[in-house]
Amino acid sequence: MPGLIRGVARTAAIAGTATAVSGRVQRRQASKFADKDAATAAQREQAYEQQVAPQQAAPAPAPAAPSEDDMMDQLQKLGDLHNQGILTDEEFAAQKAKILGS
């Protein structure tokens, strides 16, 4: 009977040691993989931000060139303001150049 108890005790000690070592290895691997996953997630987020940021910061498209009718209406209104004395000659010339795009 003492040999049987000794064998059981030895088996229990070996099993306990194996379980402890296995648990330690498993925790170490989980920590290593968690760090690796966090680094991968950070790289993906950075790549996403680099793709999205330029699209969000893109300037609005330039307004379409006014049609001839619009330009004529604007010039006519500008001429009326000049004839009424509301605009000076310099202001009139500057606005006219702006409308004509020259």
Side-chain angles (χ1 to χ4, degrees), residues 5-86:
I5 293 176
R6 192 177 311 149
V8 171
R10 184 179 302 159
T11 303
I14 292 171
T17 303
T19 302
V21 170
S22 172
R24 211 172 320 136
V25 168
Q26 186 178 14
R27 283 190 299 275
R28 192 176 320 136
Q29 286 178 343
S31 175
K32 182 172 104 175
F33 290 130
D35 291 343
K36 187 176 181 181
D37 288 345
T40 302
Q43 288 174 347
R44 287 183 182 171
E45 185 175 338
Q46 184 180 12
Y48 175 76
E49 290 296 327
Q50 288 175 352
Q51 288 177 350
V52 172
Q55 293 173 357
Q56 291 177 349
S67 67
E68 269 189 46
D69 292 338
D70 289 341
M71 287 180 16
M72 292 300 291
D73 289 340
Q74 289 177 352
L75 288 172
Q76 189 173 16
K77 289 177 185 177
L78 193 63
D80 291 342
L81 291 173
H82 183 251
N83 290 338
Q84 293 173 7
I86 296 173

